Amino acid sequence: MAPTDSPATPRHLAVDLGERSYPILIGSGLLGEGSPLADYLAGRQALVVTNETVAPLFGDATTRALTDASLDTVVLPDGERYKELTTLDQVYDRLLADAFDRSCTLIALGGGVVGDMAGFAAATYQRGVAYIQVPTTLLAMVDSSVGGKTGVNHARGKNMIGAFHQPRCVIADPDLLATLPDRELRAGIAEVIKYGLLGDYAFFAWLEQNMAALLARDPATLAEVIERSCRNKAAIVAADEREAGQRALLNLGHTFAHAIETATGYSSWLHGEAVAAGLCMAGHTSWQCGWLSDNDRARIDSLIAAAGLPTAPPALEPQRWRELMGIDKKAKDGRIRLILLRALGDAVVTEDFPDEALAATLNGF
Ligand code: NAD
Ligand code: GLY
């Protein structure tokens, strides 16, 4: 698929982090002719980090957008199971073989897996170099490309090795989503619904009205969804870059989701699918706590179902759930902290919930 030839005026948001502030550009054609990508390079050397699926789709367009750079590309294997330290060796090897110096820029061209790995390579190569996020999945456009969380998985836990390292820019061209499989589009919608639930009730209600258009990839709806999601995320990241507090709300549903992904070996469930089930579980626990009404809980499940996403997790023994949830990064001093809902659009990070409420959720699905 060839990106559109000339970029329309992009939507422009800012992640406001003082000297580490950066723009999020959202617009059709941003990877086509006249692409602003080269404007954000730190120096002349650039390494495109992508994968074997994305490279044939958008590798050439990216290379054309960087004609004046001293450029190389590293193509990683595709899949969450490759999001690990050994895969990163390929990136470090190429950087060193090409004598890339500290003024180089990595271009993360791909979904969240590529973005997290390229970002971590950038955070660690020569103690930190620049990178640009060019997300190619909906999930990456609305979530993983923004906010500077980078890293890889360990067999014992998801995203357990990582660093905060902000990109210089995020360039989100919704045209690139034309080739995205439906299942991956739906996985991204889980993170979109998350924003509505955790702090933007109006967005949640808007999604209830616009889910069909979103699933049909209506361009205006896609652009609106990316912008509203990024606006939510940028505001939270600007307020709490290092997750000392409020940023943890972005992990709504994720304590359950990471347990699902770890239990299933990062293979059968997509991250977004696990998040979808996790949102329903968080809703269920909140309902058990008496914080959500029957109707609120039903609306969560209905919106997740309308997106074609799972509303329940795979069967796991309650003790296994607890083991897996206990090693999540949100667990503090051995106690499980959860993000729960006091209302639709109002999430809270808390250890203060009755264990019976969580037990009912872990037993109840
Ligand atoms: P992904 O990167 O695996 O991409 C999904 C699939 O789509 C892959 O097979 C990929 O090659 C393919 N693909 C990508 N773009 C395509 C396109 N335009 N057309 C066709 N195929 C395309 O998965 P994802 O859902 O983008 O990201 C999930 C990852 O993101 C997880 O590892 C998760 O932990 C991470 N994540 C990170 C953050 C963060 O803040 N850093 C936030 C959320 C999720
Ligand atoms: N996706 C969670 C975060 O960026 O904090």
Side-chain angles (χ1 to χ4, degrees):
M1 173 259 171
T4 312
D5 279 344
S6 53
T9 308
R11 299 174 188 228
H12 191 294
L13 307 178
V15 183
D16 192 0
L17 289 168
E19 62 185 12
R20 281 169 291 102
S21 297
Y22 54 95
I24 304 169
L25 306 181
I26 303 161
S28 174
L30 277 173
L31 201 57
E33 196 166 319
S35 169
L37 181 57
D39 299 346
Y40 294 94
L41 294 181
R44 279 203 69 248
Q45 294 175 313
L47 180 70
V48 178
V49 180
T50 185
N51 75 20
E52 59 202 3
T53 304
V54 175
L57 295 171
F58 311 120
D60 285 352
T62 308
T63 305
R64 278 197 299 275
L66 295 166
T67 41
D68 291 337
S70 167
L71 192 66
D72 203 348
T73 300
V74 63
V75 179
L76 302 176
D78 184 3
E80 180 79 32
R81 67 188 178 284
Y82 297 109
K83 188 176 143 179
E84 54 162 15
L85 280 172
T86 52
T87 309
L88 277 178
D89 270 348
Q90 296 179 42
V91 182
Y92 299 132
D93 274 353
R94 189 63 58 85
L95 288 163
L96 288 163
D98 289 351
F100 272 56
D101 64 29
R102 294 182 78 179
S103 69
C104 72
T105 307
L106 273 58
I107 314 290
L109 175 70
V113 169
V114 163
D116 282 9
M117 284 200 289
F120 188 66
T124 46
Y125 182 65
Q126 298 197 7
R127 300 192 179 85
V129 298
Y131 75 113
I132 297 170
Q133 290 276 12
V134 183
T136 65
T137 64
L138 180 62
L139 184 141
M141 289 186 194
V142 300
D143 192 349
S144 60
S145 64
V146 176
K149 276 192 181 176
T150 73
V152 293
N153 302 327
H154 186 277
R156 291 179 185 275
K158 166 97 176 155
N159 291 336
M160 280 291 151
I161 299 157
F164 287 98
H165 187 52
Q166 301 294 340
R168 285 172 75 85
C169 181
V170 178
I171 295 184
D173 180 347
D175 291 357
L176 308 193
L177 300 177
T179 52
L180 193 67
D182 284 340
R183 186 178 172 198
E184 297 291 352
L185 183 83
R186 289 194 294 268
I189 293 174
E191 302 281 13
V192 171
I193 294 171
K194 175 190 78 177
Y195 293 116
L197 277 174
L198 74 86
D200 189 347
Y201 174 74
F203 189 34
F204 182 86
W206 184 90
L207 287 167
E208 290 181 313
Q209 301 303 316
N210 290 278
M211 187 53 72
L214 178 54
L215 288 168
R217 305 178 195 224
D218 169 62
T221 308
L222 273 175
E224 182 71 9
V225 157
I226 296 166
E227 179 178 347
R228 287 177 84 156
S229 300
C230 287
R231 200 176 284 288
N232 272 292
K233 179 146 188 186
I236 291 174
V237 169
D240 178 22
E241 181 184 10
R242 296 260 169 164
E243 201 169 303
Q246 182 185 356
R247 184 166 180 169
L249 298 178
L250 291 171
N251 293 320
L252 177 65
H254 284 58
T255 305
F256 299 108
H258 290 172
I260 294 169
E261 290 184 273
T262 305
T264 54
Y266 309 119
S267 54
S268 47
W269 283 66
L270 298 181
H271 175 70
E273 293 169 340
V275 169
L279 292 175
C280 293
M281 295 179 81
H284 186 274
T285 308
S286 308
W287 172 72
Q288 286 286 339
C289 291
W291 299 347
L292 290 187
S293 68
D294 293 354
N295 186 49
D296 289 337
R297 195 195 142 208
R299 283 177 70 184
I300 299 172
D301 288 6
S302 295
L303 189 56
I304 298 283
L309 286 161
T311 55
L316 291 179
E317 290 299 320
Q319 185 49 36
R320 181 73 177 132
W321 275 114
R322 286 179 186 274
E323 283 165 21
L324 293 166
M325 293 168 72
I327 62 162
D328 186 277
K329 292 189 293 305
K330 290 169 291 302
K332 201 177 172 193
D333 303 330
R335 296 195 59 189
I336 293 178
R337 275 195 295 164
L338 288 179
I339 296 106
L340 296 176
L341 294 167
R342 292 198 177 278
L344 299 182
D346 180 12
V348 63
V349 185
T350 182
E351 295 173 3
D352 191 14
F353 54 87
D355 190 63
E356 304 77 56
L358 175 61
T361 299
L362 300 184
N363 288 312
F365 274 84

